[in-house]
Every structure is written in C-alpha cells, then in structure tokens.
Amino acid sequence: ESGNEYTLESARTSLVRQEDTIIFGLIERARFPINSPTYNQNNISIPHFFGSLLDFLINDTEAIQAKAGRYVNPEENPFFPENLPASVVPHYPFPQFLHPAAALININKSIRKMYLDELLPMFVASGDDGNYAQTAASDLSLLQAISRRIHYGKFVAEVKFRESRKDYEPLIRAKDREALMNLLTSKSVEEIVVKRVGKKAMVFGQEVSVDGDVKGNKYKVDPSVVSNLYQKWIIPLTKLVEVEYLLNRLN
Ligand SMILES: C=C(O[C@@H]1C=C(C(=O)O)C=C[C@H]1O)C(=O)O
C-alpha cells in the first residue's frame, strides 16, 4: 500500500481512498439497528473477560491480527495496545518514514468514545434485532477505518514538516499549538473533503436498479451525517494528531 516515500500528494490520495472505506463502513453498520446490548460495559456473561461484547471482540481480534503482523505497519494503531502479542510472522521492512515519537501517539480511546457517544446515535436506527456479534464486527471494521484515517495525520504532518522545516521548527520549540494548528491547516482542502464525502455518500448509498434510473433520494446513510462526521470529528482529530506529532518531532 504505502510504497517507499510519502508526499503531500500521495498522503492526500490515500486520505481520499480511505473515505470510500469509511463510507462503506457506515453503510454496513447502518444495516443493523443500535443493538445496545453490544455495548453493555457491565456484561458479566463473557468468560474471562470484563467489558462489553464490542470490547471483547476488539480485544481478541486485535490479538490475532497483531500475531499476523497488522501493527508492524506504522499506519495501524490498536485500540487496546496493552498486552498485545508480538507478530509471529516474518514481516515486510516498512520504511522508517516517521519520527520514532510517532509510536507514542494513539488517540483511539477518544475515537472509541466519540464513536459510541456521538457518532452511532447520528446514523443508526433505534431497535434490537439480536445481531450483536455482526453489529460488533461492523463496528470494529469501521472503527479501524476511522482510526487509520485520523492517525494518518502523523504522515501528513511529517510531509509538511519536511517541506517547510524552517517554518515549523520555531513553533515546535515554542510549543505553540495554536500557531502549529494554523500553519498545518488548509481550509480550502477541508471544504473540498467535506463536500466530496457528502457526494460519495449519495453515490455509494443510493438504490441501484437495472433499468438505469436511480430510485428516489433515500440513501443508506444520510449524506449530511457523513459530511458532519468529517467536519466535526474526523478532520479536527486528524489535525490534533498532526499537532501532537509535530510537538514531539524534535525530541
Ligand atoms: C490532512 C491535511 O491537513 C489538514 C487536515 C485535513 C483533513 O483532515 O482532511 C485537510 C486539510 C488540512 O487542514 C491536508 O493538508 O491534507
């Protein structure tokens, strides 16, 4: 996927492609109602595990994926990094593009909380159809897609830093978060992203029929929810990762 080098253009191309994964993930999760028992933190019926069915699935899936080498790729960040087993397979020598401090940045706790408290209620119907395991599985792949996108801010920040070192260095030394945020922000790019994801949600989420005419304007996920998700959460959290990364860039 990643090739040998990252540029601002290649990073942006990756973010555009990751939009597709996130929007399809939203469409998949929207097949199920909220299914709230999936998230019950006081679930005491899982043997040897204390926590929700979702956390159980995340924990054990991440363990097997870690053994298979998933987290050797610096683009991936686990939700439960504590006690993750090491990879047991030979792995590809990913280029050391990021500063080593990148490994310390993981905001998946906030992402998980945002997802459960803010995002799910925005696009999922109420109700309970009993498909808790399927619901948790679609939550996990969507969470992984959102997390990958947000933590990709590390790569974006590194590219920007290398392009204008002399602008970033004094702000990093001064620990000036606000100035760093302003310097890395491109309002025009953000506006295009927000518009494009709304449009993709219309294209990907429409009913398609063989006679060519697309039926009605009912979408599998509300396009304005997708735009909102990006505007309110995904872009700001990506920029937060960028700032955190830059603050540690000279350590
Ligand atoms: C990711 C970038 O950095 C910032 C964050 C953006 C985003 O999360 O989509 C878009 C523009 C910038 O404000 C970028 O410049 O592409």
Side-chain angles (χ1 to χ4, degrees):
E1 262 270 330
S2 41
N4 294 322
E5 267 308 324
Y6 293 83
T7 62
L8 189 52
E9 194 183 83
S10 77
R12 284 182 171 154
T13 301
S14 173
L15 293 179
V16 172
R17 178 60 184 84
Q18 291 181 53
E19 292 165 2
D20 304 2
T21 312
I22 290 172
I23 293 164
F24 278 113
L26 291 164
I27 290 173
E28 284 304 284
R29 177 58 185 84
R31 290 165 57 213
F32 304 107
I34 186 77
N35 282 339
S36 52
T38 311
Y39 312 107
N40 178 10
Q41 286 292 343
N42 304 317
N43 193 334
I44 46 154
S45 57
I46 305 173
H48 314 295
F49 188 82
F50 187 79
S52 68
L53 184 69
L54 174 61
D55 288 349
F56 176 57
L57 189 81
I58 294 176
N59 195 73
D60 283 27
T61 305
E62 286 191 337
I64 179 66
Q65 291 187 341
K67 286 200 214 168
R70 183 182 183 108
Y71 302 104
V72 172
N73 185 333
E75 294 179 11
E76 300 283 351
N77 299 267
F79 282 84
F80 296 130
E82 311 83 19
N83 319 313
L84 260 196
S87 167
V88 296
V89 295
H91 45 77
Y92 181 85
F94 289 98
Q96 272 301 321
F97 180 72
L98 299 178
H99 185 278
L104 303 172
I105 299 168
N106 181 332
I107 63 162
N108 276 335
K109 264 198 176 58
S110 327
I111 292 173
R112 185 171 148 287
K113 189 168 162 44
M114 174 278 287
Y115 180 80
L116 295 173
D117 298 350
E118 314 278 346
L119 179 55
L120 271 180
M122 277 165 68
F123 79 102
V124 164
S126 55
D128 184 333
D129 68 2
N131 286 309
Y132 311 133
Q134 295 84 341
T135 298
S138 63
D139 285 324
L140 174 54
S141 49
L142 177 51
L143 276 166
Q144 286 177 326
I146 292 174
S147 167
R148 193 184 313 115
R149 198 286 181 195
I150 289 171
H151 288 99
Y152 210 82
K154 296 176 191 178
F155 294 88
V156 176
E158 177 64 24
V159 164
K160 289 180 178 176
F161 177 82
R162 290 189 194 193
E163 276 186 0
S164 12
R165 234 190 140 103
K166 64 173 193 338
D167 297 324
Y168 279 101
E169 278 192 4
L171 304 182
I172 295 170
R173 293 220 162 79
K175 301 194 199 319
D176 191 338
R177 288 176 167 270
E178 204 181 318
L180 283 169
M181 188 62 95
N182 288 334
L183 185 56
L184 64 81
T185 294
S186 169
K187 268 284 154 224
S188 59
V189 170
E190 289 181 25
E191 277 164 24
I192 292 168
V193 170
V194 170
K195 270 196 196 151
R196 185 179 50 238
V197 294
K199 183 146 190 212
K200 282 185 178 181
M202 289 184 189
V203 173
F204 300 163
Q206 65 195 343
E207 276 315 322
V208 177
S209 62
V210 282
D211 44 33
D213 53 0
V214 171
K215 280 191 242 136
N217 53 359
K218 201 181 169 312
Y219 304 108
K220 288 165 187 151
V221 170
D222 182 349
S224 70
V225 165
V226 179
S227 288
N228 265 336
L229 165 67
Y230 264 79
Q231 190 160 42
K232 242 184 114 190
W233 301 106
I234 294 190
I235 293 175
L237 289 174
T238 304
K239 297 204 298 184
L240 179 73
V241 167
E242 290 188 57
V243 170
E244 287 304 320
Y245 177 83
L246 288 167
L247 286 172
N248 291 290
R249 181 60 181 74
L250 300 175
N251 292 356

